[in-house]
Amino acid sequence: MPNVAIDSLAERPPLTPFTNRFGEHLLYEVNREAFSQISAHDRLQTHLGKALSAKDSLHIILGSDSGLLIPLLRGMERPPSSRYLIIEIPTVIQWLERQGLLDDLPVDMRCVTLDDWASVAHELKIVDYGYINGIRLHHSFAVMDAFLPEYADLRWRMTEDLNQLHWDIQAQLGNESFTYCQLRNLGDFQQPAALLKGLYKGRTAILLAGGPSLDETLPWVQVHRDKLLVLSVSRISRRLLQVGIEPDFVFSIDPTDMSFDISREMLGFSPATSLVHAFHITPLLLGAWRHRAFYMGPMLPWNSPLNRKDNASGPGPTVTNTALWCAGEMGCSTIILAGVDLCFSASGHTHAQGSNETQAGPRLEPAAIQIETQVGDTANTTPDFASAIKILGLQAATLGKKGIKLVNPSPHAAKIEGIEFIECDSIPLDDGLFEPARGLAEHVPPLDSPQRLKQRQKLQQELRHALFACGKIQAMAKDAIDLNSLFYRSKDRGEALRHKAGMDRIEMSFKRELRAMASLTKALGIRDFLRITRPHESIIEAEFSVTEELTRMYYESYRDGTQRLKALIEECAERLDSRMAEESSCPDLSALTAQWLQDRQPGRARVWMSRHPEAVARPTPDDLERLEVCLREFDTQMGETDTAHARRARGHARLSASIDRARLLFSHRDQDGLERLIHTLEHHPEQEDAMLYQAFARGLLAELAGDVEAAMEHYLPIFEAQFEPLLENALIRVASCYLAMEHPEGAFMTLETLSGLSPIYRPHLVELLYTMDRLNEAADLCHAHLRIFPEDTSTQLKLARIYAESGARESARMMLNYILDKNPDNTTARHMLEAIDHKGA
């Protein structure tokens, strides 16, 4: 049998122009029937119209829905302060260019490929828009449906890129959420982490992190627990409690509520465990912590005698980086890194047992980044892990210069210069019993109740000073707004200069005696101040009236920002009063429990109860009920399973993502990658469906090995189960196998089934019928296809060839002339016409 287009089946059908019943031109493979019942204009208007009208935004749109989004954007009233960046796959970009849809785009619109998006986004000042929280990501129907695998890859890669950009921008801004958490944590700060410096000089520490190799190391830690200083990141607390290991120090730094979801099990540790935390730890965790705690960084977000200069914040960006630095500060001479993998395990997992990630299943998205492990193998990783590898390498070099030895006992962890691979049993340990908690208690006694009370009284005094400064800034900002208006409306030059001098004096006060609080106001309201810069226009080009407006906005940002800061400080002062009342064994529990519930810290009841056991032994019925309300609410918090983090983890483990990954590996003939994917699917919790995805991957692997009959056997269970998510992909592969086996009848039946699923496969069936010498059927199928896709030049050429082969030369000439009338540059049609004329002569 003559060869049929096996390769095109292995990839995908060519793009087919199509006009729907609303007269809208689109590419069938991109959108299929998405706009068959409701016009694209109406669906896109409903889906994106309101979102795309947001001002002060850089709108990033993934996919153009066959270009139909472009006229919608052109026709809508776009805010002059916003910009629009459409990111498309290359084949669609080429079609858009041929259709003239990208000609003379407005200056605020661009349409580019994934390769060019970053440079164009920076031209459009994406970072500036990020500063004002103005980056908006939108998905077209093409991306949401992902009929073409390129769109799934586009969505995944853009999500990763924008997540990284978000974190970079937050780091540059200093992240106002850090300061909010810092102020809300004031009443719960205990002692500075600087007190731990040199406390464990010369000792061996093990830092337990959340990577898959943690599970291999935990049995060794259990055996040698009394010889190690055990440090752990808070996210693995659930796992440590499961195996009966309590760390000497647990570390937590993140300010988000999600950090509570991930790390809440740390609240189950005994008093033998101390917490080391950033000043911006989420209050949900710190407020419920019952034992000793040491904070890193300044106590207050302004210059104060309460801020110890030697109490550093430690490096980021991850808690592992911070904990590693802290181990060095404690004086440890050897630090063992367990669970610091920074790559996927062979089973596709990114975290150890007990984590939300492992419960959700292995990560299945396409993983384009591969790194070398400590034993020379390759492993997949994510962009954020790849970034962490570089940062950890820099940290290892710094610690190495101080004579601190870093060891990672996992053969499958990422290879990092400065970190030595030594298996656990070969690591030398100190002799004798080691009791870190006892040493801590002897050298750094905990705060008692009078000391806590005194520290909080000092903080209250600081807050009173801050409120006074806020009041002055707010009053001055209001004066400056009035002076600005008078300045721009003054007819008399001398009067205008007096108003300008008044604004200058106010600005000088902000920079001198009120500098600390003015800077904090700007830090907390940084996005308001950055809006003044207007990414879309240069202030140098601004008109006089615009300059007046920007100056007014500047002082309004001070006025409004100071009002928010005052409200936050007043809230913190109330919480401090509540914390001081907690020191009493017979406080007003009605007020205390109300404060705890308002702060979403019902676990605070456990803190108070642990410090006042005598009061708990003789509560009044009302107080007992109030405490029980808090304890029940705390149990509910701790028992929640459908958390935001768990949902995100399940998203990374979607089985459907393995289709795109398998096809990508197949197209690159990556047999090792397919083997890893098959192994990964063996560990997915949804095993019944996972076995079918695994069968698909096994079929692809057999095809790469040249065993098409075995491949067909692997695809068979998908058909038997009529498993819709894989059916179309499996049929494509079976058709290719039949063609490779020169089995035309089998290929015909498979392509006929595919054509029933979608008309985009009819041209392949036409080609097959032609090779089988069934010309009349091939011609009929061409006619049927062209009734739906009258602009499909490829099928028109096929029909002309069939006419010519069957002796209907005049019909062939008519079809070829029709093609050339529309496109005189079609060389294929011209050559075919010349061949027909030559034979006719």
Side-chain angles (χ1 to χ4, degrees):
M1 182 182 73
N3 188 33
V4 181
I6 296 175
D7 289 340
S8 64
L9 274 173
E11 298 300 323
R12 58 168 171 73
L15 299 180
T16 309
F18 172 63
T19 302
N20 66 8
R21 65 192 182 97
F22 304 102
E24 296 167 329
H25 302 289
L26 54 113
L27 294 166
Y28 191 81
E29 291 78 10
V30 170
N31 291 113
R32 294 199 182 179
E33 301 295 331
F35 309 123
S36 61
Q37 301 301 317
I38 303 174
S39 73
H41 180 276
D42 291 345
R43 285 202 73 187
L44 287 168
Q45 180 65 46
T46 302
H47 174 52
L48 291 174
K50 185 176 180 181
L52 292 174
S53 64
K55 62 181 182 178
D56 299 324
S57 300
L58 174 60
H59 296 277
I60 298 175
I61 310 162
L62 304 188
S64 67
D65 280 327
S66 301
L68 296 171
L69 184 62
I70 295 172
L72 178 74
L73 269 176
R74 281 180 180 269
M76 68 180 283
E77 187 175 340
R78 301 185 303 277
S81 59
S82 293
R83 297 290 177 267
Y84 298 84
L85 176 58
I86 302 169
I87 305 174
E88 259 296 1
I89 62 176
T91 50
V92 173
I93 285 273
Q94 292 165 12
W95 186 77
L96 297 177
E97 289 172 341
R98 290 196 299 271
Q99 300 303 306
L101 287 169
L102 303 185
D103 295 346
D104 301 319
L105 284 179
V107 293
D108 60 346
M109 287 173 56
R110 303 288 291 275
C111 183
V112 298
T113 63
L114 186 62
D115 289 341
D116 297 328
W117 95 268
S119 60
V120 174
H122 280 87
E123 289 176 22
L124 297 176
K125 300 186 179 179
I126 188 172
V127 174
D128 290 352
Y129 278 108
Y131 286 157
I132 62 173
N133 212 17
I135 302 173
R136 307 276 183 267
L137 180 64
H138 311 284
H139 296 140
S140 64
F141 288 103
V143 166
M144 289 190 293
D145 294 331
F147 294 123
L148 296 182
E150 293 96 319
Y151 282 119
D153 186 52
L154 172 65
R155 182 174 185 169
W156 179 76
R157 289 178 59 186
M158 280 302 303
T159 300
E160 294 286 347
D161 286 355
L162 288 176
N163 282 342
Q164 184 62 53
L165 180 67
H166 169 77
W167 285 112
D168 291 344
I169 289 172
Q170 292 303 318
Q172 292 174 37
L173 288 179
N175 201 328
E176 61 266 33
S177 63
F178 286 7
T179 304
Y180 278 107
C181 287
Q182 181 180 21
L183 289 171
R184 290 183 173 122
N185 284 330
L186 285 180
D188 298 323
F189 288 149
Q190 294 186 34
Q191 293 171 283
L195 298 176
L196 304 175
K197 189 174 180 67
L199 187 61
Y200 301 109
K201 189 173 183 179
R203 304 301 309 198
T204 296
I206 185 163
L207 171 55
L208 307 178
S213 68
L214 174 70
D215 297 309
E216 302 164 9
T217 312
L218 288 179
W220 182 82
V221 176
Q222 290 172 313
V223 172
H224 301 281
R225 177 67 182 86
D226 59 351
K227 299 182 186 302
L228 297 164
L229 177 68
V230 179
L231 317 175
S232 80
V233 301
S234 57
R235 68 158 17 252
I236 66 167
S237 300
R238 182 193 305 171
R239 182 61 178 149
L240 295 185
L241 288 170
Q242 286 173 349
V243 299
I245 294 176
E246 289 197 307
D248 299 305
F249 294 93
V250 61
F251 290 78
S252 186
I253 65 172
D254 290 339
T256 65
D257 287 3
M258 193 178 289
S259 181
F260 178 83
D261 294 342
I262 300 169
S263 303
R264 60 192 173 185
E265 286 82 9
M266 66 179 252
L267 301 175
F269 287 139
S270 75
T273 299
S274 295
L275 169 64
V276 180
H277 63 89
F279 64 81
H280 47 69
I281 183 178
T282 173
L284 298 180
L285 280 175
L286 186 60
W289 180 255
R290 290 180 292 171
H291 314 310
R292 298 198 65 178
F294 298 87
Y295 66 90
M296 293 179 288
M299 181 177 281
L300 287 157
W302 55 78
N303 289 332
S304 165
L306 298 181
N307 294 339
R308 285 184 55 148
K309 294 182 179 179
D310 62 345
N311 198 50
S313 295
T318 71
V319 66
T320 300
N321 298 112
T322 303
L324 177 58
W325 170 83
C326 200
E329 291 295 293
M330 290 176 178
C332 300
S333 57
T334 300
I335 305 170
I336 305 165
L337 305 178
V340 185
D341 297 12
L342 301 176
C343 58
F344 297 9
S345 69
S347 62
H349 289 99
T350 55
H351 291 80
Q353 292 179 36
S355 64
N356 286 333
E357 289 86 353
T358 299
Q359 288 180 356
R363 195 157 175 167
L364 293 170
E365 300 140 312
I369 303 174
Q370 291 194 331
I371 53 93
E372 183 183 357
T373 68
Q374 295 201 114
V375 290
D377 295 333
T378 58
N380 293 330
T381 194
T382 57
D384 53 335
F385 279 178
S387 176
I389 289 170
K390 294 178 183 178
I391 295 169
L392 198 58
L394 296 173
Q395 201 171 0
T398 300
L399 293 172
K401 290 176 182 177
K402 295 180 180 180
I404 298 172
K405 183 177 182 179
L406 300 185
V407 173
N408 192 325
S410 171
H412 305 298
K415 183 178 181 180
I416 300 174
E417 189 173 352
I419 299 177
E420 194 174 351
F421 168 51
I422 304 177
E423 294 182 345
C424 286
D425 291 336
S426 300
I427 299 173
L429 297 176
D430 303 320
D431 294 328
L433 185 65
F434 178 39
E435 299 180 280
R438 182 177 177 181
L440 175 64
E442 290 175 353
H443 291 89
V444 187
L447 295 180
D448 57 23
S449 181
Q451 288 172 319
R452 289 195 298 268
L453 198 60
K454 184 177 180 180
Q455 180 167 286
R456 289 164 180 163
Q457 287 169 341
K458 290 180 179 178
L459 285 168
Q460 282 284 34
Q461 184 67 25
E462 285 279 350
L463 294 184
R464 283 192 287 272
H465 290 158
L467 283 172
F468 178 75
C470 283
K472 291 186 69 174
I473 292 172
Q474 196 168 29
M476 288 182 174
K478 291 176 181 176
D479 290 343
I481 292 169
D482 294 337
L483 289 169
N484 178 62
S485 179
L486 292 169
F487 170 73
Y488 280 99
R489 282 156 184 75
S490 295
K491 305 293 185 182
D492 180 76
R493 176 177 171 78
E495 184 181 73
L497 289 174
R498 284 194 299 276
H499 298 322
K500 179 66 167 60
M503 285 192 286
D504 289 343
R505 284 193 297 273
I506 290 171
E507 192 65 30
M508 193 61 68
S509 294
F510 288 172
K511 292 179 179 178
R512 290 184 178 176
E513 64 267 24
L514 295 172
R515 179 179 178 181
M517 209 52 55
S519 297
L520 184 58
T521 298
K522 291 186 77 171
L524 289 178
I526 187 67
R527 297 187 191 279
D528 290 335
F529 283 92
L530 287 169
R531 285 185 191 281
I532 299 165
T533 64
R534 296 190 175 188
H536 60 284
E537 88 178 354
S538 168
I539 195 169
I540 296 172
E541 301 167 354
E543 298 177 358
F544 189 76
S545 61
V546 174
T547 307
E548 177 188 358
E549 180 193 359
L550 295 182
T551 307
R552 175 180 56 77
M553 289 172 61
Y554 174 75
Y555 288 112
E556 284 177 347
S557 297
Y558 265 121
R559 181 197 65 194
D560 299 343
T562 307
Q563 181 58 41
R564 289 195 297 271
L565 179 58
K566 277 181 65 179
L568 178 61
I569 292 174
E570 287 166 354
E571 173 198 317
C572 293
E574 289 179 9
R575 190 175 295 106
L576 267 174
D577 286 339
S578 178
R579 291 297 190 261
M580 287 191 283
E582 286 179 23
E583 297 302 328
S584 169
S585 60
C586 53
D588 178 0
L589 275 177
S590 175
L592 287 185
T593 53
Q595 181 73 54
W596 300 337
L597 292 172
Q598 176 185 317
D599 293 338
R600 294 186 297 148
Q601 295 177 345
R604 192 74 195 169
R606 297 164 74 242
V607 178
W608 182 82
M609 292 168 68
S610 67
R611 290 177 179 171
H612 300 285
E614 75 288 352
V616 177
R618 46 178 173 75
T620 68
D622 287 344
D623 284 348
L624 181 61
E625 173 59 25
R626 292 185 182 102
L627 291 171
E628 287 181 347
V629 167
C630 287
L631 295 176
R632 286 196 297 269
E633 180 62 25
F634 178 71
D635 288 342
T636 299
Q637 268 190 344
M638 296 295 288
E640 178 64 44
T641 55
D642 189 25
T643 63
H645 183 258
R647 290 192 294 272
R648 187 175 74 172
R650 289 196 294 270
H652 288 312
R654 287 179 303 109
L655 276 169
S656 57
S658 67
I659 302 175
D660 301 316
R661 184 167 166 188
R663 291 191 303 195
L664 183 66
L665 293 167
F666 181 74
S667 66
H668 287 90
R669 304 192 66 80
D670 186 348
Q671 297 186 50
D672 291 339
L674 281 168
E675 289 277 15
R676 285 196 295 271
L677 176 58
I678 291 164
H679 182 57
T680 295
L681 288 165
E682 290 174 356
H683 298 269
H684 199 281
E686 299 172 29
Q687 263 306 291
E688 186 175 349
D689 286 350
M691 288 175 66
L692 295 172
Y693 286 92
Q694 193 179 46
F696 180 67
R698 289 188 189 280
L700 296 178
L701 187 63
E703 283 193 68
L704 289 181
D707 192 347
V708 291
E709 291 184 1
M712 300 270 277
E713 289 295 321
H714 289 306
Y715 297 135
L716 185 60
I718 298 169
F719 304 129
E720 291 175 342
Q722 285 295 292
F723 189 62
E724 189 174 346
L726 282 168
L727 198 56
E728 185 176 335
N729 286 281
L731 283 167
I732 292 170
R733 298 308 329 144
V734 168
S736 292
C737 287
Y738 274 130
L739 292 171
M741 295 164 63
E742 297 193 2
H743 192 309
E745 292 301 329
F748 174 78
M749 288 188 295
T750 309
L751 282 172
E752 196 171 37
T753 304
L754 274 169
S755 298
L757 291 176
S758 173
I760 61 175
Y761 298 104
R762 283 179 178 168
H764 293 290
L765 188 54
V766 168
E767 191 73 19
L768 179 60
L769 287 168
Y770 175 80
T771 63
M772 296 170 71
D773 204 27
R774 294 161 65 172
L775 300 186
N776 289 336
E777 293 174 72
D780 290 342
L781 194 57
C782 283
H783 285 296
H785 188 73
L786 289 171
R787 279 195 291 272
I788 303 174
F789 305 104
E791 303 166 49
D792 186 355
T793 304
S794 175
T795 301
Q796 291 169 351
L797 289 168
K798 285 182 171 66
L799 182 56
R801 183 177 60 174
I802 292 167
Y803 281 150
E805 290 287 332
S806 61
R809 291 192 177 89
E810 189 55 37
S811 296
R813 284 193 188 93
M814 289 176 63
M815 178 58 71
L816 293 169
N817 283 322
Y818 173 78
I819 295 169
L820 289 168
D821 284 344
K822 291 179 63 178
N823 182 10
D825 296 327
N826 192 311
T827 55
T828 303
R830 189 165 299 284
H831 289 157
M832 287 177 66
L833 187 59
E834 290 171 357
I836 290 171
D837 289 339
H838 179 71
K839 285 183 180 179

